[in-house]
């Protein structure tokens, strides 16, 4: 068995003429063609000065070449660092300064921005939504074979930033072993094979769309219908031809709004997977009633890859996230020691799937990753005698909207910087489409300020999905006797 990502996911397909990716234009690339494209891009990375261990930042549209770029970075021994395409200049600045990449690949429209952010330190190549740009232009001229740079299983393959509870994003260092071991567990557990056709409608800058979906498909040699974004009608058209869908809960609530969703439509489908945010039991039940399929819910994090999954063959219980994956240990703890079955505690996880620590943040790493190898997730849960896990809440102050994480502290920092704002509290309320939605309670020093005025000053600094949907102006924030802001009170007061 090979133990580095390139060998396990890509090299095995050098002679494989089976179809791999089909995009929205109907273009299909075979596995062999895809591996050839990876080699061309790997040559381009090396030409741009990328050496083993260097970070390659990618803020690019969802294209076949963007996935090839991931393969190329890994083949060249570099560290792949994808960024959400919604991030603003001030968000991108932090990532570039923290990760000090050797190369940035971005949409041509953002080239000037990145040139400003990187000064002389990094090369910049472009990749536009139509596939044009300096990356493809250079790659087209390169050989379709590249001598893979040798890497060890503990070397880094990717750096994925996850928002921080203290406001600053933390780069999760993921090794070849972290990613490969998880892909192997999931492929086996979910019985993914070359007979599968996956509908891929997730973004490819997060662990769900990039690793859970792509790495498993690559490992199995499955076919992938690669959709630029989620569109419920387009998915309805693909379901009769497909066997597998992976999505966030919003995918399923939106599909349920489609009258065409019937058992006949999904007759070929083998498995629907949900994760990244809690799937409401009522969504699970409604989906089963409409299609006959019980959605398989799994649980994971950027730092740990996937942690638990409901069983493929056994009982999938709505509202639970199933059992620890093979090779992964899950403990529920109180003050660091395991609690009894059924009791609520912190979910902790250990295994080959758990990351190497936070980039440049040894203290943060020490706070969250124990010497014993257990990672403290910040999620609260219970475990039955037989090991079934249920997530009951979060200790971390986090809002999950449509599968995207929003850390209130980061949004509060931006609001508090608005002249005339005394303080703010950002919190999540239930939302029928996104699961949760963000609101902001704001206390003013300058009473001439309006909600619209605050929004106008906040929005340029934050990706749109983080924007509060409403600003509530209050005379004071609710506080407990210790002086701590009571977000539960805000949630209760404004949840409708
Ligand atoms: C888009 N918008 C959102 C949003 N997505 N607002 C809040 N929350 C979201 N999730 C906003 C846009 O900024 C825009 O705002 C408006 O909604 C319409 O944008 P859109 O692009 O048309 O949105 P839509 O296609 O409806 O996207 C919804 C979605 C998408 C659910 C399909 O958000 C999505 O693909 N989410 C998946 C996220 C994901 O992959 N998470 C995995 C993280 S990994 P405006 O203001 O311009 O109108 C992880 C670990 C694990 O969590 O276990 O997997
Ligand atoms: P991220 O930091 O983006 O990787 O998001 C990880 C977080 O998403 C976890 O810590 C959980 O809080 C949440 N999450 C992922 N999957 C699930 C799930 N199935 N149910 C509830 N929460 C989930």
């Amino acid at each position: 068995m090979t133990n580095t990502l390139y060998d396990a996911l890509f090299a095995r397909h050098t002679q494989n003429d089976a179809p791999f990716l089909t995009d929205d234009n109907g273009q299909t690339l075979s596995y062999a063609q895809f591996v050839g494209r990876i080699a061309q891009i790997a040559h381009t990375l090396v030409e741009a000065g990328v050496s083993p261990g260097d970070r390659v930042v990618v803020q690019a549209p969802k294209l076949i070449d963007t996935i090839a770029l991931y393969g190329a970075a890994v083949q060249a021994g570099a560290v792949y660092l994808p960024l959400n395409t919604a991030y603003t200049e001030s968000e991108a600045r932090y990532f570039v300064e923290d990760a000090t990449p050797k190369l940035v690949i971005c949409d041509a429209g953002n080239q000037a921005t990145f040139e400003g952010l990187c000064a002389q330190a990094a090369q910049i190549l472009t990749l536009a939504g139509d596939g044009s740009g300096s990356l493809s232009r250079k790659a087209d001229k390169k050989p379709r074979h590249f001598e893979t740079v040798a890497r060890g299983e503990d070397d880094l393959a990717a750096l994925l930033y996850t928002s921080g509870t203290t406001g600053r994003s933390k780069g999760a260092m993921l090794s070849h072993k972290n990613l490969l071991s998880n892909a192997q567990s999931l492929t086996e557990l979910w019985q993914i094979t070359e007979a599968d056709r996956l509908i891929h409608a997730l973004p490819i800058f997060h662990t769900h769309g990039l690793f859970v979906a792509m790495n498993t498909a690559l490992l199995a040699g499955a076919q992938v219908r690669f959709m630029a974004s989620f569109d419920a009608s387009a998915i309805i058209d693909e379901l009769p031809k497909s066997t597998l869908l992976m999505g966030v809960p919003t995918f399923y609530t939106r599909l349920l709004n489609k009258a065409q969703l019937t058992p006949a439509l999904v007759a070929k489908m083998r498995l629907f997977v949900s994760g990244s945010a809690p799937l409401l039991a009522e969504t699970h039940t409604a989906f089963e009633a409409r299609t006959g399929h019980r959605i398989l819910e799994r649980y994971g994090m950027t730092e740990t890859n996937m942690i638990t999954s409901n069983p493929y063959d056994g009982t999938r219980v709505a509202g639970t996230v199933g059992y620890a994956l093979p090779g992964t240990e899950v403990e529920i703890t109180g003050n660091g020691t395991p609690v009894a079955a059924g009791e609520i505690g912190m979910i902790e996880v250990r295994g080959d799937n758990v990351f190497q620590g936070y980039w440049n943040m040894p203290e943060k790493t020490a706070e969250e990753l124990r010497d014993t190898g257990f990672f403290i997730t910040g999620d609260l849960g219970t475990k039955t005698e037989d090991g079934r896990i249920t997530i009951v809440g979060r200790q971390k102050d986090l809002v999950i909207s449509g599968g995207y994480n929003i850390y209130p502290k980061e949004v509060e920092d931006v609001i508090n910087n608005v002249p005339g704002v005394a303080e703010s509290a950002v919190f999540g309320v239930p939302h029928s489409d996104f699961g949760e939605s963000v609101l902001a309670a704001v206390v003013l020093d300058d009473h001439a300020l309006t909600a619209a005025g605050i929004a106008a000053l906040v929005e340029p600094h934050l990706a749109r999905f983080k924007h509060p949907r409403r600003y509530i102006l209050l005379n004071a924030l609710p506080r407990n006797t210790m002086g701590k802001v009571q977000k539960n009170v805000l949630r209760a007061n404004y949840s409708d």
Side-chain angles (χ1 to χ4, degrees):
M1 191 170 60
T2 50
N3 63 358
T4 59
L5 268 186
Y6 187 81
D7 290 343
L9 301 189
F10 303 102
R12 70 192 315 159
H13 298 301
T14 309
Q15 309 292 331
N16 180 357
D17 289 324
F20 173 34
L21 291 164
T22 302
D23 68 14
D24 292 339
N25 301 321
Q27 185 202 352
T28 297
L29 224 63
S30 72
Y31 269 98
Q33 288 170 320
F34 180 71
V35 172
R37 185 61 176 165
I38 289 179
Q40 291 185 308
I41 297 182
H43 281 290
T44 313
L45 300 190
V46 171
E47 184 182 73
V50 171
S51 303
D54 284 342
R55 278 75 58 211
V56 175
V57 164
V58 177
Q59 190 186 39
K62 186 175 173 183
L63 298 170
I64 291 179
D65 260 358
T66 315
I67 292 292
L69 197 44
Y70 159 53
V74 169
Q75 190 175 21
V79 181
Y80 187 71
L81 196 172
L83 291 182
N84 192 326
T85 46
Y87 287 152
T88 61
E89 179 176 345
S90 47
E91 288 165 316
R93 174 188 302 280
Y94 169 75
F95 299 119
V96 170
E97 286 177 356
D98 192 52
T100 58
K102 185 62 71 67
L103 173 67
V104 174
I105 291 123
C106 65
D107 202 298
N110 293 330
Q111 183 170 6
T113 304
F114 277 104
E115 275 167 0
L117 295 180
C118 296
Q120 306 298 315
Q123 285 240 27
I124 296 173
L125 295 175
T126 59
L127 180 58
D130 63 0
S132 65
S134 53
L135 176 80
S136 12
R137 231 178 12 254
K138 286 170 186 276
D140 287 348
K141 301 192 191 102
K142 300 284 186 294
R144 298 181 70 82
H145 174 80
F146 176 89
E147 212 48 55
T148 305
V149 174
R151 293 265 88 187
E153 60 179 15
D154 292 324
D155 284 325
L156 297 192
L159 187 60
L160 258 64
Y161 277 83
T162 163
S163 306
T165 35
T166 50
R168 304 209 82 190
S169 283
K170 297 171 287 184
M173 300 191 286
L174 297 158
S175 70
H176 288 252
K177 180 162 67 185
N178 296 151
L179 299 177
L180 185 54
S181 65
N182 209 239
Q184 284 162 338
S185 297
L186 296 176
T187 306
E188 201 168 313
L189 194 70
W190 297 344
Q191 301 185 14
I192 303 174
T193 70
E194 66 282 345
D196 276 307
R197 183 177 192 265
L198 167 74
I199 301 176
H200 191 303
L202 288 159
I204 50 170
F205 39 71
H206 283 310
T207 197
H208 194 165
L210 184 60
F211 300 141
V212 182
M214 289 308 315
N215 285 357
T216 55
L218 281 156
L219 196 59
Q223 205 178 331
V224 178
R225 174 65 182 88
F226 196 60
M227 308 178 93
S229 61
F230 177 85
D231 172 352
S233 300
I235 302 240
I236 292 286
D237 292 342
E238 294 297 331
L239 284 169
K241 299 175 262 179
S242 308
T243 63
L244 187 56
L245 175 69
M246 297 187 194
V248 296
T250 303
F251 281 26
Y252 295 104
T253 51
R254 289 191 184 175
L255 284 174
L256 279 167
N257 289 334
K258 293 279 172 192
Q260 300 98 309
L261 187 73
T262 60
L265 188 85
V266 300
K268 230 183 131 184
M269 285 294 292
R270 185 174 68 75
L271 182 62
F272 292 89
V273 179
S274 177
S276 307
L279 181 76
L280 293 179
E282 65 201 59
T283 309
H284 188 279
T285 311
F287 201 83
E288 185 178 12
R290 281 282 289 288
T291 64
H293 280 272
R294 292 179 73 80
I295 298 171
L296 183 154
E297 186 171 8
R298 59 62 178 175
Y299 158 59
M301 281 184 82
T302 303
E303 289 92 330
T304 60
N305 297 284
M306 297 307 102
I307 302 169
T308 72
S309 169
N310 268 278
Y312 184 76
D313 285 324
T315 313
R316 300 176 197 166
V317 178
T320 81
V321 292
Y323 301 94
L325 294 179
T328 300
E329 294 167 79
V330 175
E331 279 187 351
I332 310 293
T333 65
N335 295 322
T337 46
V339 298
E343 275 183 32
I344 295 175
M346 176 62 69
I347 302 179
E348 299 197 21
V349 53
R350 177 165 72 179
D352 286 348
N353 52 317
V354 174
F355 75 145
Q356 308 299 298
Y358 294 115
W359 180 259
N360 281 342
M361 288 188 177
E363 317 78 34
K364 283 274 162 223
T365 304
E367 275 170 31
E368 297 181 29
L369 191 56
R370 296 185 192 280
D371 293 341
T372 56
F374 272 97
F375 175 71
I376 306 165
T377 62
D379 294 311
L380 300 173
T382 61
K383 182 158 85 166
T384 58
E385 290 284 0
D386 81 332
R388 185 182 283 277
I389 312 286
T390 301
I391 299 173
V392 300
R394 299 173 205 134
Q395 196 176 66
K396 52 194 173 193
D397 190 13
L398 164 69
V399 180
I400 305 184
S401 169
Y404 284 133
N405 286 8
I406 301 156
Y407 276 92
K409 175 76 167 64
E410 184 190 358
V411 183
E412 287 160 6
D413 285 348
V414 178
I415 298 174
N416 295 346
N417 265 338
V418 172
V421 167
E423 59 174 348
S424 63
V426 167
F427 56 101
V429 291
H431 187 277
S432 58
D433 185 33
F434 288 135
E436 286 184 294
S437 188
V438 178
L439 302 186
V442 184
V443 178
L444 299 178
D445 281 331
D446 173 1
H447 293 277
L449 259 184
T450 61
I454 300 169
L457 292 171
V458 165
E459 291 181 354
H461 299 284
L462 295 170
R464 295 190 73 85
F465 68 89
K466 298 178 191 168
H467 294 183
R469 294 305 176 222
R470 197 179 143 202
Y471 290 84
I472 303 150
L473 304 182
L474 298 178
N475 290 326
L477 298 177
R479 291 183 190 276
N480 65 16
T481 47
M482 308 286 288
K484 195 170 183 294
V485 175
Q486 292 170 301
K487 291 199 177 176
N488 55 333
V489 172
L490 290 169
R491 269 191 291 273
N493 288 348
Y494 297 101
S495 62
D496 54 355

